[in-house]
């Protein structure tokens, strides 16, 4: 088994800090592979949680949730084990009228020898039920994921085990939706950026109708065609790419509009085997239709914290 990515811990939800301590590997190939797999698992992790934090009975939201589950999903809780995606919608009735919050404290992804993934996460879970009673728990999640097809970028959950480990006396309710919604977008953006295949299609569901991207090394990009040109430019000179998010924060600007700030520690390998490093700061304005698969980037402004530079093998580590 290969340990892919280790813990990140979060401070209050309107200013969430991401601290990922990734295990160093002996080869750049492993580093890149592990990053893509961990991005993919995290996309699905945050999609799982965000579903419970808004309307559970919106048919589009439900279909998006079912899309991340294997047909034979097994979900084990203190109430028992439920098997099969087809019975999942019926179980949601128990949560009618609830407010839910899932605050991820740390997570870890392991790539197994057979290509499946094991994701573990510790969260603080809060709910306010229809009768206004409240529960607050620390919960450990162990989740198995597998790719349905070799060409799939996103795996599906095959098993989910939920184990409460601690009950809180009292804690003010914190709405985690903005964090979970924008992190699933961020990880999906990184996952697709790291494909290095020039394919613009996946970005179409992550960008608003009138978007503007101001990358630190390019003029403004305001159309899908311009983004396609960019993706088929310098990125195709790379054979490996890896982004490590840090210092993540999100603020609510208006209903369904957020400002995301995050820094990416970047490692790249050119096709001539030159090693590169850089650090960039990203400010995104994100608009959200909760019924869609992902929130969308309205604008992105990127600045260089550490300029792109060639580095030695010794410097190509975290």
């Amino acid at each position: 088994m290969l340990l892919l990515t280790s813990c990140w811990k979060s401070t209050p939800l309107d200013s969430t800090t991401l601290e990922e301590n990734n295990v160093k590997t002996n080869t750049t190939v492993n580093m890149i592979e592990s990053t893509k797999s961990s991005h993919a698992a995290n996309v699905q992790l945050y999609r799982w949680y965000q579903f419970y934090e808004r309307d559970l009975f919106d048919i589009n939201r439900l279909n998006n949730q079912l899309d991340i589950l294997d047909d034979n999903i097994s979900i084990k809780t203190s109430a028992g084990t439920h098997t099969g995606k087809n019975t999942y919608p019926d179980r949601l009735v128990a949560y009618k009228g609830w407010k839910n919050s899932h605050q991820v404290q740390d997570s870890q992804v392991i790539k197994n020898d057979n290509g499946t993934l094991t994701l573990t996460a510790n969260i603080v879970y809060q709910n306010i039920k229809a009768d206004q009673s409240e529960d607050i728990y620390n919960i450990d999640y162990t989740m198995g994921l597998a790719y349905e097809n070799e060409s799939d970028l996103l795996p599906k959950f095959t098993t989910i085990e939920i184990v409460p480990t601690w009950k809180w006396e009292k804690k003010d309710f914190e709405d985690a939706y903005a964090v979970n919604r924008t992190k699933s977008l961020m990880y999906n953006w990184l996952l697709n950026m790291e494909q290095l295949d020039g394919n613009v299609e996946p970005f179409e569901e992550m960008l608003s109708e009138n978007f503007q991207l101001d990358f630190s090394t390019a003029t403004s990009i305001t159309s899908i065609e311009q983004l396609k040109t960019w993706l088929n430019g310098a990125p195709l000179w790379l054979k490996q790419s890896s982004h490590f998010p840090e210092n993540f924060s999100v603020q609510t600007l208006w209903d369904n509009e957020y400002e995301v700030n995050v820094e990416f520690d970047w490692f790249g390998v050119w096709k001539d085997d030159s090693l590169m490093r850089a650090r960039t700061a990203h400010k995104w304005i994100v608009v959200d239709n909760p019924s869609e698969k992902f929130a969308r980037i309205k604008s992105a402004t990127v600045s260089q914290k550490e300029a792109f530079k060639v580095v030695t093998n010794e410097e190509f580590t975290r």
Side-chain angles (χ1 to χ4, degrees):
M1 294 188 299
L2 176 65
L3 181 64
L4 302 181
T5 178
S6 188
C7 302
W8 65 262
K9 298 185 179 180
S10 48
T11 52
L13 293 177
D14 59 350
S15 178
T16 305
T17 303
L18 189 64
E19 298 175 348
E20 291 191 298
N21 302 312
N22 292 270
V23 173
K24 302 179 183 68
T25 57
N26 292 327
T27 68
T28 56
V29 172
N30 282 340
M31 183 180 202
I32 300 306
E33 289 179 348
S34 68
T35 305
K36 286 193 273 192
S37 296
S38 61
H39 290 342
N42 276 304
V43 172
Q44 305 298 59
L45 176 70
Y46 290 104
R47 290 177 70 192
W48 168 261
Y49 291 134
Q50 70 188 245
F51 172 68
Y52 290 92
E53 295 166 345
R54 291 297 184 264
D55 184 2
L56 297 175
F57 304 101
D58 178 302
I59 188 62
N60 292 318
R61 300 192 75 245
L62 176 58
N63 286 336
N64 289 334
Q65 184 75 343
L66 292 173
D67 187 54
I68 71 177
L69 304 179
D70 182 79
D71 287 345
N72 299 308
I73 177 75
S74 173
I75 303 175
K76 183 178 181 180
T77 70
S78 56
T81 300
H82 301 277
T83 303
K85 183 165 70 172
N86 61 328
T87 65
Y88 178 79
D90 296 335
R91 302 197 296 274
L92 297 175
V93 176
Y95 301 100
K96 189 173 183 178
W98 289 29
K99 289 177 64 177
N100 297 293
S101 171
H102 306 77
Q103 304 152 39
V104 180
Q105 305 301 297
D106 59 70
S107 64
Q108 180 174 287
V109 178
I110 295 172
K111 186 173 183 179
N112 302 307
D113 294 338
N114 63 358
T116 63
L117 304 174
T118 299
L119 189 159
T120 57
N122 174 262
I123 74 165
V124 174
Y125 168 66
Q126 296 181 269
N127 67 51
I128 301 177
K129 300 182 179 67
D131 64 4
Q132 298 305 301
S133 62
E134 301 181 34
D135 286 314
I136 313 167
Y137 293 97
N138 277 76
I139 298 179
D140 286 342
Y141 278 75
T142 303
M143 312 168 95
L145 302 100
Y147 293 92
E148 212 168 49
N149 302 294
E150 287 186 8
S151 59
D152 291 344
L153 292 187
L154 292 173
K156 297 193 176 189
F157 289 112
T158 55
T159 60
I160 299 175
E161 183 176 2
I162 304 169
V163 180
T165 58
W166 181 265
K167 185 170 184 177
W168 293 56
E169 294 263 338
K170 183 68 178 174
K171 186 178 185 291
D172 290 340
F173 186 86
E174 298 179 37
D175 186 356
Y177 176 80
V179 172
N180 294 333
R181 184 67 164 160
T182 55
K183 280 186 174 173
S184 65
L185 169 66
M186 177 192 74
Y187 281 112
N188 195 48
W189 179 268
L190 293 179
L191 173 64
N192 282 279
M193 277 290 178
E194 293 177 4
Q195 298 308 308
L196 306 177
D197 58 4
N199 184 15
V200 75
E201 185 176 345
F203 294 92
E204 294 185 31
E205 64 180 354
M206 293 185 280
L207 294 166
S208 69
E209 185 175 352
N210 297 303
F211 68 87
Q212 179 171 327
L213 307 177
D214 291 301
F215 296 150
S216 59
T217 57
T219 57
S220 293
I221 295 172
T222 58
S223 71
I224 291 296
E225 196 59 36
Q226 289 175 342
L227 179 59
K228 181 179 180 179
T229 299
W230 184 86
L231 291 170
N232 283 275
L236 292 189
W237 290 90
L238 290 165
K239 67 178 181 180
Q240 297 175 348
S241 179
S242 178
H243 297 79
F244 298 86
E246 295 180 349
N247 302 323
F248 179 98
S249 68
V250 58
Q251 293 182 331
T252 301
L253 302 177
W254 309 97
D255 287 345
N256 298 320
E257 185 167 335
Y258 308 104
E259 178 182 310
V260 171
N261 286 277
V262 63
E263 295 179 8
F264 296 144
D265 203 9
W266 177 78
F267 296 76
V269 182
W270 292 105
K271 289 184 176 178
D272 67 358
D273 290 325
S274 298
L275 306 179
M276 299 284 293
R277 283 196 67 169
R279 188 177 183 88
T280 54
H282 293 240
K283 176 182 176 181
W284 295 357
I285 302 301
V286 174
V287 292
D288 181 33
N289 176 350
S291 295
E292 292 189 322
K293 189 174 178 180
F294 293 103
R296 295 174 180 266
I297 297 172
K298 181 179 179 180
S299 68
T301 303
V302 182
S303 59
Q304 293 186 28
K305 301 278 288 187
E306 297 178 16
F308 292 83
K309 63 179 180 181
V310 177
V311 295
T312 63
N313 288 334
E314 291 74 18
E315 295 173 304
F316 201 78
T317 57
R318 282 174 55 81

